[in-house]
Amino acid sequence: MRAHEAGALHADLGHGGPSWLRTPDDVNALVPHLWPRTVVRGRDGVLTVGGVSVRELAERFGTPAYILDEADFRARCREFRDAFKGADVFYAGKAFLCKAVARMVAEEGLSLDVCTGGELSVALAAGFPADRIGLHGNNKSIAELTRAVDAGVGRIILDSFDEIDRLTAIARQRNARPNVLIRVTVGVEAHTHEYIATAHEDQKFGFSLAGGAAAEAVARVLEEGVLELRGLHSHIGSQIFDTSGFEVSARRVLGLHAEIRDRYGVQLPELDLGGGFGIAYTTQDDPSPPADLAAGMAKIVQEECAAKDLAVPHLSVEPGRAIAGPAVFTLYEVGTVKDVDGIRSYVSVDGGMSDNIRTALYDASYSATVASRASAAGPTLARVVGKHCEAGDVVVKDEFLPADVAPGDLLAVPGTGAYCRSMASNYNHVPRPPVVAVADGQARVVVRRETEDDLLALDVG
Ligand code: LLP
């Protein structure tokens, strides 16, 4: 018998699972808001996405694989676009970017955020309209800035005095006048994991508002008169579930807008409040729909502008995770199952921390289900682990899986569309998995699987 077959489960939770994890009534049930919208478990017990069974996907494309529900991804783009009507929605490509995704983003009418020359290359290679691209980054090189200016990107978000000097020189030399925003650090700490909070003062991004650097950056850009200062930018963190952090940041950034108006007699036309909208990784998470976020943010901005007698600037936002995250699940095959008596079952899959570093890096929580069949067995408390040579190689810390989970089963982990493929590594020389887009009964590879030959091709010894 498996260590945790139902009955003993509640007593065992003190050893293993977190207190919120409850024994499921049915291990085969899918919690809808965790899964891409076209995913269902068919009558035969097998999960399908976009009308294609995961068994077929595993046979054709192998495992592990990231499976992208294209209809879901596009619907989330549209929901943001429609909710933020009158504003610009920049999809944050750092969450996940490839040419096919860049095209979907363009087709759905969104703009695109990139933060390196590499991401810019993908966007340009996909034919993404350059004037709808924004370039971020706290250490953009001369080469990256030059490429962005030459490509005619729509905006560059300035992050340091060195960068102001660099871009001013490039613009002079090229006789160009790029649009810029100044990234302001507003001293708001989003309620999230420390390593992914980006707007409190003690960090590398942006110009400090409280310390006066932001006002000095504005002065420098206006005095030089070479760059087109369009507005201010603030990004307060990730996995944020309400608008209270945005309220404080909008108030502070608009305070600087008002100062600029008073001092220079110009009102900057743009305000970018960044991304960071949270998604559901487990049943504990309850994200707000884009329409609620948009209404909340519009109200905050309008009220602050009225209070400061400012014209309402053109707003933009930069969601990454909230668009890509829920649209993807990772499909693995189970290789070994080990019962560690009195604690839990260790279910090893054919990927791990190389395709999802978030559990190890941020202590992130995920869920999982057996995808290739329904089971009549009761639940067992399991930990889904990878194949890497590291004890911390955990994909899902705690999940109830059917007690008969066995080698050969396909296991699906939802919510892996953001920051999993984009942060994937080759640890232990494991090739990175493909991304397979599925829609209307058709599956196509949009990022191919890396091969051992790809890895050996870099090895010149
Ligand atoms: N805009 C800016 C300026 C950002 O720095 C970020 C994320 C975003 C937008 C998009 O944030 P999102 O809506 O995706 O939360 N690797 C971490 C997340 C790092 C986010 C960095 N900046 C993770 O896996 O959670």
Side-chain angles (χ1 to χ4, degrees):
M1 182 181 108
R2 292 269 152 82
H4 300 283
E5 278 172 51
L9 277 173
H10 286 298
D12 285 337
L13 282 176
H15 294 283
S19 57
W20 55 264
L21 192 67
R22 293 278 164 264
T23 318
D25 298 330
D26 176 3
V27 279
N28 304 307
L30 300 177
V31 178
H33 71 290
L34 299 182
W35 290 90
R37 290 164 192 175
T38 74
V39 171
V40 288
R41 194 184 290 279
R43 269 205 219 121
D44 57 358
V46 183
L47 254 54
T48 65
V49 52
V52 181
S53 108
V54 295
R55 281 181 180 269
E56 183 188 330
L57 292 171
E59 261 162 42
R60 281 180 61 193
F61 306 109
T63 55
Y66 301 100
I67 310 297
L68 169 68
D69 180 346
E70 185 169 341
D72 181 290
F73 182 91
R74 286 179 182 274
R76 289 178 201 277
C77 287
R78 286 196 295 275
E79 281 158 21
F80 269 97
R81 188 198 61 199
D82 295 347
F84 285 89
K85 252 198 183 73
D88 284 324
V89 178
F90 284 75
Y91 168 66
K94 67 202 81 180
F96 173 63
L97 192 64
C98 64
K99 287 189 287 179
V101 154
R103 282 190 209 105
M104 292 177 207
V105 170
E107 284 161 12
E108 299 304 339
L110 272 55
S111 300
L112 180 66
D113 242 10
V114 298
C115 67
T116 61
E119 289 180 2
L120 179 59
S121 299
V122 176
L124 295 176
F128 201 95
D131 61 345
R132 279 161 55 195
I133 297 177
L135 177 64
H136 268 286
N138 68 300
N139 182 15
K140 307 176 191 76
S141 68
I142 290 174
E144 287 172 318
L145 290 169
T146 306
R147 184 138 47 114
V149 170
D150 288 349
V153 303
R155 53 164 64 172
I156 296 172
I157 296 85
L158 298 171
D159 198 285
S160 68
F161 289 111
D162 293 316
E163 186 187 346
I164 294 177
D165 294 345
R166 265 176 223 163
L167 188 62
T168 302
I170 293 166
R172 275 213 178 94
Q173 188 202 17
R174 316 292 246 218
N175 207 14
R177 190 174 176 83
N179 291 327
V180 296
L181 302 186
I182 285 174
R183 179 161 177 174
V184 178
T185 311
V186 293
V188 175
E189 189 169 348
H191 293 283
T192 186
H193 193 285
E194 191 189 351
Y195 299 127
I196 52 177
T198 56
H200 56 101
E201 297 277 334
D202 185 13
Q203 44 101 2
K204 68 175 185 168
F205 290 110
F207 294 94
S208 161
L209 186 68
E216 200 182 323
V218 170
R220 177 104 50 114
V221 172
L222 290 177
E223 274 157 26
E224 291 283 358
V226 171
L227 309 175
E228 183 66 34
L229 182 58
R230 299 288 300 165
L232 304 176
H233 175 286
S234 157
H235 171 80
I236 56 170
S238 291
Q239 221 15 25
I240 300 167
F241 287 99
D242 63 36
T243 52
S244 52
F246 293 106
E247 185 163 356
V248 182
S249 80
R251 187 176 312 135
R252 293 188 182 168
V253 178
L254 287 166
L256 183 54
H257 270 263
E259 265 179 49
I260 295 166
R261 178 208 44 205
D262 296 345
R263 184 174 305 177
Y264 304 100
V266 286
Q267 187 178 332
L268 301 180
E270 305 249 3
L271 170 65
D272 188 327
L273 288 176
F277 312 117
I279 65 165
Y281 285 108
T282 70
T283 52
Q284 287 303 284
D285 302 323
D286 187 17
S288 304
D292 293 1
L293 294 168
M297 288 168 82
K299 185 166 175 280
I300 289 165
V301 171
Q302 270 154 19
E303 283 174 2
E304 279 309 307
C305 286
K308 295 180 166 67
D309 200 20
L310 283 166
V312 176
H314 185 81
L315 185 68
S316 43
V317 289
E318 304 170 334
R321 184 189 322 264
I323 291 176
V328 173
F329 63 86
T330 312
L331 191 61
Y332 298 102
E333 185 177 304
V334 174
T336 64
V337 179
K338 197 181 282 182
D339 293 332
V340 178
D341 265 343
I343 305 176
R344 79 187 91 235
S345 292
Y346 279 80
V347 175
S348 295
V349 294
D350 48 358
M353 66 194 301
S354 57
D355 59 70
N356 186 351
I357 191 63
R358 297 193 70 265
T359 308
L361 191 56
Y362 308 122
D363 196 28
S365 296
Y366 284 90
S367 68
T369 194
V370 170
S372 48
R373 66 187 172 91
S375 169
T380 187
L381 184 62
R383 176 160 288 176
V384 179
V385 296
K387 62 179 291 168
H388 294 279
C389 197
E390 179 154 335
D393 173 24
V394 175
V395 179
V396 183
K397 288 179 286 185
D398 299 286
E399 180 58 290
F400 286 106
L401 293 176
D404 62 356
V405 60
D409 280 334
L410 296 176
L411 198 86
V413 174
T416 57
Y419 305 106
C420 287
R421 178 61 180 80
S422 64
M423 293 174 78
S425 77
N426 293 120
Y427 183 39
N428 297 142
H429 284 280
V430 170
R432 289 174 296 176
V435 181
V436 178
V438 186
D440 301 325
Q442 304 291 325
R444 63 182 170 125
V445 174
V446 293
V447 178
R448 75 160 167 81
R449 182 182 300 286
E450 211 165 28
T451 64
E452 286 178 2
D453 284 344
D454 289 328
L455 301 184
L456 279 165
L458 299 176
D459 189 327
V460 291

